[in-house]
Amino acid sequence: MDDKKKSEDGFIPQHGGYKKLLTFQKAEIIYDGTVYFCNKYLKMNDRTRDQMTQAARSGKQNIAEASMASATSKEAEIKLTNVARASLEELLIDYQDFLRTHKLKEWEKDHKYVKRLRELNRTPNANYETFRKGIENPNPEISANVLIGLIKITSY
């Protein structure tokens, strides 16, 4: 950063802006979708329901926290980003467990719906509405696989 930029912005560089990050935007869709999924497909007293919701929330919140920490501590930014990725990985495994224990298939990368998900993912300013049809599909296999795809894209 040049001296002119430093003097205009002050001692601490600009930080935050996490709402503009694609990873945060996708993580927010994952959180909202996970809340929907858990309310629809998991029993109210199922411990997995709380675990999945908290993992989705942690993924989203830690991306925001990492963005805010970026100005003063790159180490904190990296640690919080890793926590976000670990939370999303935990959530991914929960969705895979759901599919396996309900004798449903996880889609291979060449599945026709995975191709459609990739197309949707390229939509500028994609939000929950972009993926609603898949997330809120009455078939839990489709719903879980759409969320798995979003998690993989966000983690990548």
Side-chain angles (χ1 to χ4, degrees), residues 22-24 26-27 30 63 88 149-156:
L22 286 175
T23 53
F24 179 83
K26 298 286 188 227
I30 292 165
I63 291 168
L88 291 174
L150 286 166
I151 292 167
K152 287 179 176 180
I153 289 163
T154 303
S155 293
Y156 178 76

Side-chain angles (χ1 to χ4, degrees), residues 28 50 82 101 109:
E28 190 169 62
D50 291 334
N82 283 334
T101 59
K109 64 182 177 182

Side-chain angles (χ1 to χ4, degrees), residues 24-90:
F24 179 83
Q25 293 167 8
K26 298 286 188 227
E28 190 169 62
I29 296 166
I30 292 165
Y31 174 75
D32 293 349
T34 297
V35 169
Y36 175 85
F37 184 92
C38 290
N39 286 338
K40 179 143 177 108
Y41 297 112
L42 299 177
K43 293 178 182 152
M44 191 62 110
N45 61 351
D46 188 339
R47 189 168 183 276
T48 303
R49 178 186 175 121
D50 291 334
Q51 294 288 338
M52 289 177 73
T53 303
Q54 287 306 310
R57 181 185 181 281
S58 178
K60 178 176 79 75
Q61 297 301 103
N62 279 290
I63 291 168
E65 285 184 50
S67 177
M68 295 304 295
S70 69
T72 56
S73 174
K74 293 300 175 192
E75 180 182 355
E77 179 185 19
I78 291 167
K79 285 181 180 179
L80 288 164
T81 300
N82 283 334
V83 171
R85 290 186 82 194
S87 295
L88 291 174
E89 183 68 21
E90 177 185 341

Side-chain angles (χ1 to χ4, degrees), residues 36 40-41 133-143:
Y36 175 85
K40 179 143 177 108
Y41 297 112
K133 200 171 170 184
I135 292 170
E136 296 186 9
N137 195 288
N139 181 341
E141 181 176 310
I142 292 173
S143 184

